[in-house]
Amino acid sequence: MAQEEVQNGGPEKVAEVSFTALKPQLMVEAPKAADAVQFYKSAFGAVEAGRTVYPKRKAEQEQPHVLSAQLELGGSTILVSDIADNSSPVKTEGTGCVLCLETEDVEAAIAKAVSAGGVAEGEVTEGDGACCGGRVGKVKDPYGYVWLICSPAKKCGDAEA
Amino acid sequence: MAQEEVQNGGPEKVAEVSFTALKPQLMVEAPKAADAVQFYKSAFGAVEAGRTVYPKRKAEQEQPHVLSAQLELGGSTILVSDIADNSSPVKTEGTGCVLCLETEDVEAAIAKAVSAGGVAEGEVTEGDGACCGGRVGKVKDPYGYVWLICSPAKKCGDAEA
């Protein structure tokens, strides 16, 4: 994959942006994500590479909600996440699949997508991004799909396979 | 990626199956797929690797419907397809994103997924699969996602970038 030079143009300027990964993220009604991961292992031979859970819920629930489970399948990575109420920043209406794009320059990537006709939703947030990245923003494209623009994934927490 | 030996077990037997590619396929209300492809190029720098159109419609429509456009993005491939009426075998209800998995043994892969709790939908069909593969079958998983199980892609038709 050709890497283009990333220009740090800031949000006002349309910069060249390159993406280092694309990961479909499948949203599953909580708390079924753990079951879904098991299904993808059984059905397709997916291999779990990592899993992060919502720490808050560990004490109060039998099965902690899955923020993001990373599965290797067909040479790609998919993410499986529990969606509950308003607990997730990536809740979508209608379609349960969002697309995570990793890039070194989240703001420039969002600015470029917006200049092309996408709509930025919410703020760029730090921390427990469902993509396992450090920073994550959201762009809805004109065709209804939601793209998460994330900084490259930190190594996912300990796998709970 | 480790390649497992594919056992030609047929539909009755749960075989070892390996997948050579996973491609999210984004369904777009016809005839907007061509516009969507242009958007993904402008917004994310996606590179079109090929496009097949519905040949029947070429004469009667200004813009032929897109059966499948292949876009390279972030080291992965996504497919963008027009969905119109009942013209596509991969029409889905609710979610517009399906996941194409390529494998050498479509029937064994479907049988394995069904034995794990998936539901096969329709027959395995030959020919103009929206994944650009030769043969394609469909499995709905218990969490609402549709997986297309396809034989490896024939080279897509001439790119109309």
Side-chain angles (χ1 to χ4, degrees):
Chain A
M1 185 181 52
Q3 291 286 338
E4 291 172 325
E5 193 182 335
V6 176
Q7 298 169 1
N8 231 324
E12 304 307 309
K13 196 171 150 190
V14 177
E16 288 301 313
V17 173
S18 67
F19 295 100
T20 51
L22 184 153
K23 300 174 183 174
Q25 182 176 24
L26 308 187
M27 303 303 184
V28 174
E29 187 192 353
K32 295 182 183 167
D35 294 342
V37 166
Q38 189 53 51
F39 173 81
Y40 297 132
K41 290 179 185 176
S42 304
F44 303 130
V47 174
E48 185 166 349
R51 184 185 298 197
T52 51
V53 297
Y54 287 99
K56 283 184 205 165
R57 295 176 178 265
K58 268 183 175 164
E60 66 204 49
Q61 295 192 320
E62 276 187 41
Q63 193 172 23
H65 287 183
V66 174
L67 179 62
S68 175
Q70 285 194 307
L71 296 180
E72 308 296 334
L73 175 56
S76 291
T77 300
I78 64 170
L79 306 172
V80 180
S81 300
D82 274 319
I83 281 284
D85 311 332
N86 298 311
S87 63
S88 169
V90 293
K91 189 174 183 179
T92 59
E93 316 86 29
T95 169
C97 178
V98 301
L99 296 146
C100 296
L101 273 174
E102 290 185 4
T103 182
E104 293 289 344
D105 192 341
V106 172
E107 278 78 6
I110 291 172
K112 187 179 177 188
V114 168
S115 75
V119 175
E121 299 196 334
E123 301 290 315
V124 173
T125 56
E126 193 83 34
D128 61 351
C131 295
C132 299
R135 315 184 64 236
V136 57
K138 193 158 87 167
V139 174
K140 191 164 190 173
D141 76 29
Y143 311 94
Y145 291 98
V146 172
W147 299 76
L148 294 179
I149 312 294
C150 334
S151 53
K154 291 180 280 197
K155 190 64 195 159
C156 257
D158 28 348
E160 300 179 13
Chain B
M1 186 179 51
Q3 290 288 336
E4 291 172 322
E5 194 181 334
V6 176
Q7 297 169 4
N8 231 326
E12 304 308 307
K13 196 172 150 191
V14 176
E16 288 301 313
V17 174
S18 67
F19 295 99
T20 51
L22 183 153
K23 300 174 184 175
Q25 182 176 23
L26 309 186
M27 303 301 184
V28 174
E29 187 193 352
K32 294 182 186 167
D35 294 342
V37 167
Q38 188 53 52
F39 173 81
Y40 298 131
K41 291 178 184 176
S42 304
F44 303 130
V47 174
E48 185 167 349
R51 183 184 299 196
T52 52
V53 298
Y54 287 98
K56 282 185 206 167
R57 294 176 180 265
K58 269 184 175 162
E60 66 204 48
Q61 295 192 319
E62 275 186 41
Q63 194 172 22
H65 287 184
V66 174
L67 180 61
S68 176
Q70 286 193 305
L71 297 179
E72 308 296 333
L73 175 56
S76 291
T77 300
I78 64 170
L79 307 171
V80 180
S81 301
D82 274 319
I83 281 284
D85 312 332
N86 298 310
S87 63
S88 169
V90 292
K91 189 174 182 181
T92 58
E93 318 84 30
T95 169
C97 178
V98 301
L99 296 146
C100 296
L101 274 174
E102 290 186 3
T103 181
E104 294 288 344
D105 193 339
V106 172
E107 278 76 7
I110 292 172
K112 187 179 177 188
V114 167
S115 76
V119 176
E121 299 197 332
E123 300 292 315
V124 173
T125 56
E126 192 84 35
D128 61 349
C131 294
C132 299
R135 316 183 65 238
V136 58
K138 192 158 88 168
V139 174
K140 192 165 189 174
D141 75 30
Y143 310 95
Y145 291 98
V146 172
W147 298 75
L148 294 180
I149 312 294
C150 334
S151 55
K154 291 180 282 198
K155 189 65 196 160
C156 257
D158 27 350
E160 299 181 12

